[in-house]
Amino acid sequence: MSKVQVSLYARNLPNVAGLFKGTSDPYAIVKKLTQGGSPVEIGRTEVVKNTLSPTWTKRFIVDYELGHTTFLSFAVYDKTDKGDKPMGSAMFNIANVLAAKGNTKGKHAKGGGTIFVKIQKYEEKGTLRLQLKGIELKSTEGLGLGILVKPDPYFELHRLTIDRKGWDLVHRSPPVRNTLDPVWAEAVIDLGTLCRGDMNLPLRIKVFDHEKNGKHVDMGEFQSSVNGLLASKNFSATQDINQADLASAFTLRIGKNKKEMGQVVVLRADLIGMETVARSQDPAPSEPPKQDPAPSEPPKQDPAPTIAAAPIVPEVAVAYTPPAPAPAPHSPQPPPASYAP
């Protein structure tokens, strides 16, 4: 029995919000179906507000046995206060998606639009506890009634795809309201999801100004990796998040001219449930072969063995927290109140 990781997005879904009621707020319910078995709900995505082309960040880890036909069904609903409305559904065979180009397959949804699912092999790699802070971000709001309107910034983490031709969205933070110096909530992110266990895999960190109409405004981006974030971890001696040192800050840039849009510092970056093992780059030097003494010389005692110098192992300053206890199993909960765009 192996595990696979499932993510999904949809495009051009029907708007079922109703006349003069804006745009739908879609979320998806995911169920697993096996031959001879009943459908089992494995989880629900977050709600994405005001969009008909949502990209959900929620990932699902599913047990999968090679050679056994297993289906996943995805039903999309519009979240409303008066009862959720169906927006479309589709069903996929896990084996067919794994065999597809890029491990991604799309189907026309019953009801309209297209649902896409991506399925990849999954191995548990530990987690990264991360907290970022923006410093003096440039406002994209302009002036309102003669007063500078401050944005509601949030950030997204994207990882480089396996074919290295694109980016997968893997995390989206809640927005911080009305500020140019946001301290984003601490996040615990699965390393298998974030970087497939490759600590040097390129990551793209993008910042947006959250808009209620779903048309979020780009505020800049930078690139790094898990190792880069760990190396840039920055906390002042006073432990005051408002006094972070800018020496290791990342600069947000936007557009072809790479216009500077402020800075981002890493307040916390800790590995959980993963030991960092330093590996020597060069093998230990071997001892030269010993020669027998010349026959004319008197017998000699064996010389003391030469101890080979231990290879120099580079030290990596990485904060480590002992493995957290595994959470107790629980039943899937209704989708959380949406903070996501």
Side-chain angles (χ1 to χ4, degrees):
M1 184 76 71
S2 60
K3 294 183 182 293
V4 294
Q5 183 182 82
V6 181
S7 60
L8 66 153
Y9 61 98
R11 295 294 180 264
N12 303 315
L13 295 172
N15 187 7
V16 298
L19 193 62
F20 306 120
K21 292 186 179 180
T23 305
S24 295
D25 304 326
Y27 73 94
I29 299 176
V30 183
K31 293 183 179 181
K32 178 181 177 182
L33 301 89
T34 55
Q35 285 183 328
S38 300
V40 177
E41 182 175 326
I42 61 174
R44 303 184 178 199
T45 68
E46 74 276 15
V47 178
V48 182
K49 303 282 287 185
N50 295 312
T51 182
L52 302 179
S53 296
T55 297
W56 294 284
T57 60
K58 174 78 173 181
R59 258 62 176 175
F60 304 93
I61 307 302
V62 180
D63 290 328
Y64 172 64
E65 188 169 354
L66 189 65
H68 287 236
T69 302
T70 306
F71 290 91
L72 294 175
S73 72
F74 303 90
V76 182
Y77 294 87
D78 177 17
K79 183 67 177 176
T80 71
D81 295 332
K82 297 181 179 180
D84 300 344
K85 301 177 181 179
M87 298 179 68
S89 62
M91 185 178 296
F92 296 83
N93 185 322
I94 290 180
N96 291 344
V97 179
L98 287 172
K101 183 177 180 180
N103 303 120
T104 304
K105 204 169 184 64
K107 282 189 176 181
H108 292 296
K110 294 180 180 179
T114 306
I115 295 175
F116 296 87
V117 62
K118 186 168 190 172
I119 301 179
Q120 297 175 297
K121 294 180 180 179
Y122 173 80
E123 293 182 11
E124 189 172 356
K125 303 290 186 180
T127 55
L128 172 70
R129 183 170 62 192
L130 179 69
Q131 186 175 29
L132 303 179
K133 171 183 170 67
I135 297 177
E136 296 182 358
L137 305 185
K138 305 300 182 185
S139 178
T140 58
E141 294 283 358
L143 296 176
L145 299 178
I147 302 174
L148 180 65
V149 179
K150 294 181 180 179
D152 303 323
Y154 70 92
F155 74 87
E156 293 180 349
L157 290 174
H158 300 247
R159 72 178 184 188
L160 190 65
T161 55
I162 292 178
D163 61 9
R164 309 185 78 84
K165 294 181 179 179
W167 301 89
D168 285 332
L169 173 63
V170 295
H171 176 78
R172 183 187 293 122
S173 78
V176 181
R177 304 293 180 185
N178 193 36
T179 181
L180 294 173
D181 299 284
V183 177
W184 287 291
E186 186 176 292
V188 178
I189 308 168
D190 179 85
L191 285 172
T193 298
L194 179 61
C195 63
R196 298 188 289 274
D198 180 356
M199 309 293 278
N200 293 313
L201 183 75
L203 300 176
R204 191 178 186 183
I205 296 87
K206 304 182 70 174
V207 178
F208 295 90
D209 175 16
H210 183 275
E211 298 291 345
K212 292 182 179 180
N213 62 7
K215 298 179 181 179
H216 313 299
V217 181
D218 190 357
M219 296 184 69
E221 64 179 77
F222 65 91
Q223 290 189 23
S224 186
S225 64
V226 172
N227 274 339
L229 295 172
L230 292 170
S232 300
K233 187 172 76 166
N234 186 326
F235 214 106
S236 67
T238 61
Q239 301 292 293
D240 184 351
I241 61 176
N242 295 311
Q243 297 182 16
D245 184 7
L246 294 180
S248 58
F250 295 98
T251 299
L252 288 172
R253 299 182 184 276
I254 192 172
K256 294 182 180 179
N257 296 327
K258 304 296 183 182
K259 179 182 177 182
E260 294 189 9
M261 296 293 288
Q263 294 178 301
V264 173
V265 294
V266 181
L267 295 182
R268 292 181 178 87
D270 303 306
L271 297 179
I272 305 172
M274 175 183 178
E275 293 185 5
T276 302
V277 180
R279 296 181 179 179
S280 174
Q281 299 297 319
D282 300 309
S286 58
E287 297 183 39
K290 298 176 182 177
Q291 298 180 353
D292 294 331
S296 60
E297 295 181 7
K300 295 181 181 180
Q301 295 182 346
D302 293 334
T306 302
I307 301 176
I312 298 175
V313 181
E315 295 182 355
V316 182
V318 176
Y320 170 72
T321 305
H330 62 279
S331 302
Q333 298 296 321
S338 172
Y339 55 75

